[in-house]
Amino acid sequence: MYGKNYLLDCEILHEIRGRIRIKSRALKYLGIHKEEITSQLMQVHYIENVSISNITGTVLIYFDASSLTGENIVSLLQNTLNTYLVDIYKNEKKDTSNKYLIERKLQEESPQEIIKSIGAAVILLLLPNPKRKLTGIRRLFNYKTLSTISLALPVLKNGIYSLIRNKRPNTDTLSSTAIVSSIMLGSERTALTIMVLERFAELLTVYTMKRTRGVIKDMLSVGENYVWKQSENDTEIARKVPIEEIDKGDLILVQTGEKISVDGIIEKGEAIIDQSAITGEYMPVTKRTGEEVFAGTLIKNGNITVKAEKVGDDRTASRIIRLVEDAAFNKADIQSYADTFSAQLIPLNFLLAGIVYVSTRNLQKALSMLVIDYSCGIRLSTATAFSASINTAAKNGILIKGSNYLEELSKSDTVIFDKTGTITEGRPKIQTLKSFGKNMRNERMLALAAAAEETSSHPLATAILNEIKNRGIAIPKHQECIIKVARGIETVVNKSIIRVGSQKYMEENNIDSEKASDIVKGMQNRGEIVIYVAKNAELIGVIGVSDPPRENIKKAINRLRNHGIDDIVLLTGDLRQQAETIASRMSMDRYESELLPEDKAKDILKFRSIGSKVIMIGDGINDAPALSYANVGIALGSTRTDVAMEAADITITSDDPLLIPGVVGLAKNTVKIIKQNFAMAIGINSFALVLGATGLLPAIYSSILHNSITILVVGNSLRLLKYDINR
């Protein structure tokens, strides 16, 4: 038998020779991949028949027992399911979310609407009751009763809808029963008090959600609010219009100093554009007619006309905001548990009300059982806590796509780092220069190397060219640069052939590199990449290039350990020597080198298969598969491409690695506050139920006490708006 805690774990239910039935939670959530997985298993030579049941989460397999064992079959099944892990996980989340109660979507309400309804209810509370006492059904048709019912309509509708759709009551069902009962008993004051206090608690939650949306929109602002729209025939002067009025195909005029507000193609003009916020390139690039430009990039110099390709909701900001608000897939387990737990307690309120009424024949005492419930406080305070945390994170330049990622962060025990652009800056710099020969100085050797590398866009060439600029050295005149793929580059300076590249490139051209061996060994021990420079048949120098670690990265790793992370791993595509050097300097637990992006993703799955809660931290581009497969994928830095924003669950838009332990600490504090709210809501409301059942607490005071507790726990959640993420 195998563990049952993890999605891909398997349990052998029954086994005889050549026949085995295996149970796995993952088999319930295969979705459209069921036939594909069945086909893959059937392609195994010794498997004769496969039958998967989504309903029971089991698979029945007939196989050649002389060639395979049950253990082989289990391993084969897990490896096959591994390929579809992300889709299986999404299907499980989607299916689970459908089981939760239908609650009003508070994010669709505005604070102004709630304030108006609270104001109307308060005015009704202050107004005197009708002078004429009506009896029977006629009593329901006075202005105060009709106004109370009108204000309660959203609650009444949702409460009834939940009973019809889910066949079970929700919070609004309970509130509706209490409101209607109060009205039937002639106590509109009790009904209005319930509504005022509940709506005030909801106001705090909606206010937090709105603030969060605003902060995220500001954080993801990708252009100007107004743009210059150009007519297609160029005969009219460009008009300044709101960005919301721009459609696909419209022509936008963008000038020096302005942000481009749409993704599109340059129709006319040329400009130098800073794309660092989108592509991560720190050097501005020249863009000409026919080339693509992105929303959020800044024109440093020039004027262009852009034909809009992606506008409005197709842009990154709108897509990400929808992801953050998507309650179905991005709901945390603890939030789902809060909904489920409180939903299970709602029938208890009805049961207690029935018992109290049968025992006492007192409707007021029975009503007290309905106005006190656990669900309202638990549900609202949990939603507020997560929304406040996402707000606090966004104010610090951290985009969290959903509350589930906060909870996953709080439970994490393993952090995996990419190297280039994550642990390191992603901008190689020259660390060592060593020239050989009596008449060869370091500056001259560097200048000759720069001559060969001048037209190259390779990161190592960029390091040499940047060093030349920093030292103010002129690049000598040279002929065409010829690239030798995967080896080096060469050019001619003053009739001398200059070769720059690897040791293998030197050997291929019969250039002796032995005199540099001791120096090279020291450079390699420091994790530097060695570049050889030769003039004709003589080695004239070596250049050591390394990608320096980010500032504060070591401090960030230490803080992660203080937050309970006990396994820190480096996965990189770089050579073993460089990986080993960085892992040692950062005091990491282990490393793997020379990995392709898909190899990193497979390693993530290995960690998850043994129950590790994995955070993957990368640059969000070539690490997209690994970011998707981790429990939480974090993209660090200013890359912010579509790929980065969509592959990562959390995006840190600055280059400060201390924000990584900062957001982990925020997550742990969020879950801590939610647990505090659970304890307060359950403890105090239970006490209030006892008082109400004994008649010591009338219905109206029961409502005041219950809703005061709701406001208290929501207020406790609001403390997260002031959380210091840098502590």
Side-chain angles (χ1 to χ4, degrees):
M1 183 180 288
Y2 297 79
K4 291 185 264 187
N5 294 328
Y6 313 118
L7 186 57
L8 296 185
D9 281 352
C10 297
E11 175 189 358
I12 298 175
L13 296 180
H14 184 261
E15 181 180 9
I16 60 174
R17 183 174 174 78
R19 181 180 181 276
I20 187 170
R21 185 181 295 276
I22 303 170
K23 184 174 184 178
S24 175
R25 212 170 83 234
L27 294 170
K28 293 183 179 182
Y29 308 107
L30 301 182
I32 60 173
H33 301 300
K34 177 181 174 181
E35 297 301 324
E36 192 176 342
I37 291 171
T38 301
S39 176
Q40 285 190 28
L41 291 171
M42 287 291 292
Q43 288 175 14
V44 177
H45 184 62
Y46 300 108
I47 290 181
E48 299 165 0
N49 191 38
V50 176
S51 177
I52 297 175
S53 171
N54 297 108
I55 298 172
T56 60
T58 61
V59 58
L60 180 64
I61 299 176
Y62 290 89
F63 60 98
D64 181 356
S66 62
S67 303
L68 294 175
T69 66
E71 297 287 334
N72 298 145
I73 297 292
V74 169
S75 296
L76 182 64
L77 177 63
Q78 286 183 319
N79 289 334
T80 305
L81 293 175
N82 255 334
T83 310
Y84 303 92
L85 180 61
V86 174
D87 285 342
I88 290 170
Y89 176 71
K90 287 182 179 180
N91 290 339
E92 183 191 34
K93 280 288 185 183
K94 185 177 179 181
D95 182 76
T96 305
S97 68
N98 292 332
K99 298 175 184 176
Y100 303 136
L101 297 179
I102 301 168
E103 301 288 0
R104 276 175 295 123
K105 293 184 177 179
L106 293 178
Q107 66 266 30
E108 294 178 0
E109 297 190 54
S110 71
Q112 291 76 15
E113 290 173 351
I114 297 177
I115 290 170
K116 285 178 183 177
S117 68
I118 292 173
V122 169
I123 290 171
L124 280 174
L125 266 173
L126 297 175
L127 287 175
N129 289 323
K131 293 181 180 179
R132 186 182 173 191
K133 291 279 186 179
L134 299 175
T135 59
I137 195 69
R138 287 182 299 171
R139 192 185 60 75
L140 299 178
F141 291 96
N142 67 75
Y143 77 91
K144 199 164 188 177
T145 302
L146 289 175
S147 300
T148 302
I149 292 172
S150 175
L151 285 174
L153 269 180
V155 176
L156 296 172
K157 284 167 62 178
N158 187 261
I160 294 168
Y161 183 58
S162 178
L163 282 174
I164 296 171
R165 172 80 182 275
N166 264 19
K167 305 293 189 296
R168 56 199 288 194
N170 65 359
T171 307
D172 284 344
T173 310
L174 198 61
S175 297
S176 299
T177 307
I179 290 168
V180 171
S181 300
S182 299
I183 292 171
M184 296 297 291
L185 292 170
S187 179
E188 284 86 359
R189 189 175 299 275
T190 301
L192 289 167
T193 302
I194 294 170
M195 290 164 55
V196 168
L197 293 170
E198 281 190 358
R199 292 297 275 169
F200 183 73
E202 289 176 355
L203 174 64
L204 296 178
T205 302
V206 170
Y207 170 73
T208 308
M209 289 178 173
K210 185 179 180 184
R211 278 191 59 177
T212 300
R213 283 198 298 273
V215 171
I216 292 171
K217 284 178 181 176
D218 291 341
M219 174 184 165
L220 296 176
S221 175
V222 291
E224 309 289 346
N225 293 324
Y226 289 85
V227 296
W228 292 97
K229 182 179 178 181
Q230 179 72 57
S231 64
E232 291 187 15
N233 54 22
D234 264 358
T235 57
E236 300 177 14
I237 298 173
R239 296 182 296 113
K240 193 172 185 179
V241 299
I243 183 64
E244 291 80 9
E245 294 183 13
I246 298 300
D247 297 318
K248 183 177 179 180
D250 285 348
L251 298 177
I252 311 299
L253 179 63
V254 195
Q255 305 177 50
T256 300
E258 293 180 343
K259 268 188 179 181
I260 300 173
S261 301
V262 296
D263 293 351
I265 305 296
I266 298 177
E267 286 283 302
K268 186 172 71 174
E270 179 179 319
I272 298 172
I273 301 176
D274 179 0
Q275 299 191 132
S276 59
I278 299 298
T279 65
E281 298 172 273
Y282 60 96
M283 292 292 290
V285 295
T286 302
K287 293 278 189 174
R288 300 178 176 86
T289 302
E291 294 187 303
E292 188 177 14
V293 292
F294 306 101
T297 55
L298 178 68
I299 295 188
K300 305 288 282 185
N301 190 24
N303 302 315
I304 56 174
T305 301
V306 179
K307 184 176 182 180
E309 296 289 331
K310 290 183 180 180
V311 298
D313 286 349
D314 287 336
R315 297 182 306 167
T316 300
S318 298
R319 292 203 305 273
I320 299 302
I321 289 168
R322 286 202 307 273
L323 279 172
V324 172
E325 293 180 344
D326 182 3
F329 179 65
N330 293 329
K331 184 177 284 189
D333 287 341
I334 196 168
Q335 190 172 0
S336 302
Y337 173 75
D339 290 347
T340 306
F341 176 75
S342 56
Q344 290 169 346
L345 290 175
I346 289 171
L348 176 64
N349 288 84
F350 285 105
L351 179 62
L352 287 173
I355 292 171
V356 170
Y357 180 71
V358 169
S359 303
T360 65
R361 297 295 175 179
N362 187 318
L363 279 173
Q364 285 291 343
K365 289 182 181 180
L367 185 59
S368 294
M369 301 297 98
L370 295 176
V371 300
I372 298 172
D373 74 278
Y374 300 96
S375 56
C376 189
I378 291 173
R379 181 174 61 88
L380 290 180
S381 65
T382 303
T384 304
F386 282 122
S387 186
S389 292
I390 292 172
N391 180 302
T392 297
K395 285 189 294 188
N396 286 275
I398 304 169
L399 177 69
I400 302 173
K401 289 184 183 177
S403 57
N404 57 320
Y405 303 119
L406 275 167
E407 186 182 16
E408 290 287 353
L409 276 180
S410 73
K411 297 186 292 188
S412 57
D413 54 26
T414 302
V415 171
I416 295 176
F417 282 95
D418 173 50
K419 175 181 168 287
T420 306
T422 305
I423 291 289
T424 62
E425 294 178 358
R427 301 175 184 177
K429 295 179 181 177
I430 289 179
Q431 303 296 328
T432 304
L433 284 174
K434 178 62 180 176
S435 57
F436 304 103
K438 293 180 180 179
N439 299 320
M440 184 60 61
R441 293 181 296 113
N442 287 346
E443 287 76 10
R444 177 59 180 169
M445 182 268 291
L446 185 63
L448 292 173
E453 298 281 15
E454 187 174 21
T455 59
S456 174
S457 59
H458 192 281
L460 297 181
T462 302
I464 292 173
L465 295 173
N466 284 341
E467 188 71 15
I468 282 285
K469 291 175 186 175
N470 292 339
R471 293 182 179 225
I473 300 173
I475 299 176
K477 292 182 179 180
H478 58 88
Q479 296 181 16
E480 181 185 2
C481 299
I482 302 170
I483 298 172
K484 305 296 181 180
V485 179
R487 286 173 173 77
I489 194 166
E490 69 178 52
T491 189
V492 175
V493 178
N494 295 331
K495 298 183 181 180
S496 296
I497 300 174
I498 306 299
R499 295 184 176 90
V500 180
S502 65
Q503 184 178 17
K504 186 175 183 180
Y505 184 40
M506 299 295 117
E507 291 171 354
E508 288 175 350
N509 289 279
N510 299 315
I511 298 169
D512 184 14
S513 60
E514 184 61 30
K515 59 184 174 182
S517 59
D518 290 340
I519 295 168
V520 166
K521 191 175 293 183
M523 293 162 66
Q524 290 175 336
N525 288 338
R526 294 191 295 272
E528 296 176 17
I529 299 171
V530 181
I531 302 171
Y532 293 81
V533 184
K535 181 179 179 181
N536 295 321
E538 181 186 0
L539 184 72
I540 60 171
V542 287
I543 301 172
V545 177
S546 69
D547 190 4
R550 287 180 185 269
E551 185 180 359
N552 289 328
I553 187 67
K554 182 67 181 294
K555 189 183 291 185
I557 290 173
N558 291 338
R559 289 186 183 180
L560 281 171
R561 294 198 187 278
N562 291 334
H563 282 307
I565 304 297
D566 52 20
D567 199 8
I568 298 180
V569 184
L570 176 68
L571 300 182
T572 180
D574 282 351
L575 299 174
R576 186 194 64 79
Q577 183 63 51
Q578 297 164 42
E580 184 178 21
T581 301
I582 285 290
S584 176
R585 288 177 65 181
M586 297 297 115
S587 301
M588 292 180 155
D589 296 299
R590 54 189 182 280
Y591 69 89
E592 289 190 39
S593 58
E594 301 179 46
L595 299 175
L596 296 172
E598 54 267 33
D599 296 327
K600 294 179 185 179
K602 289 176 183 176
D603 279 347
I604 297 287
L605 286 174
K606 288 178 185 176
F607 281 106
R608 292 194 62 180
S609 68
I610 60 173
S612 296
K613 301 292 184 181
V614 180
I615 301 172
M616 171 67 197
I617 303 169
D619 58 21
I621 303 173
N622 59 353
D623 295 316
L627 290 169
S628 297
Y629 277 80
N631 293 83
V632 182
I634 299 178
L636 174 67
S638 55
T639 48
R640 282 186 62 185
T641 60
D642 279 1
V643 175
M645 298 292 273
E646 292 185 11
D649 306 312
I650 296 174
T651 302
I652 298 176
T653 57
S654 76
D655 291 314
D656 184 4
L658 290 177
L659 290 176
I660 299 170
V663 74
V664 172
L666 173 65
K668 288 183 178 293
N669 204 50
T670 302
V671 172
K672 178 183 175 182
I673 283 179
I674 289 170
K675 289 178 179 178
Q676 289 174 359
N677 292 340
F678 266 67
M680 284 191 288
I682 292 170
I684 300 175
N685 280 317
S686 295
F687 179 65
L689 277 173
V690 173
L691 293 180
T694 57
L696 296 175
L697 200 64
I700 190 166
Y701 295 115
S702 295
S703 173
I704 292 172
L705 177 60
H706 156 66
N707 287 291
S708 297
I709 296 308
T710 299
I711 294 169
L712 173 65
V713 293
V714 170
N716 189 41
S717 295
L718 288 174
R719 290 195 296 125
L720 289 163
L721 289 172
K722 301 297 182 183
Y723 180 83
D724 181 6
I725 209 164
N726 296 307
R727 66 184 186 187

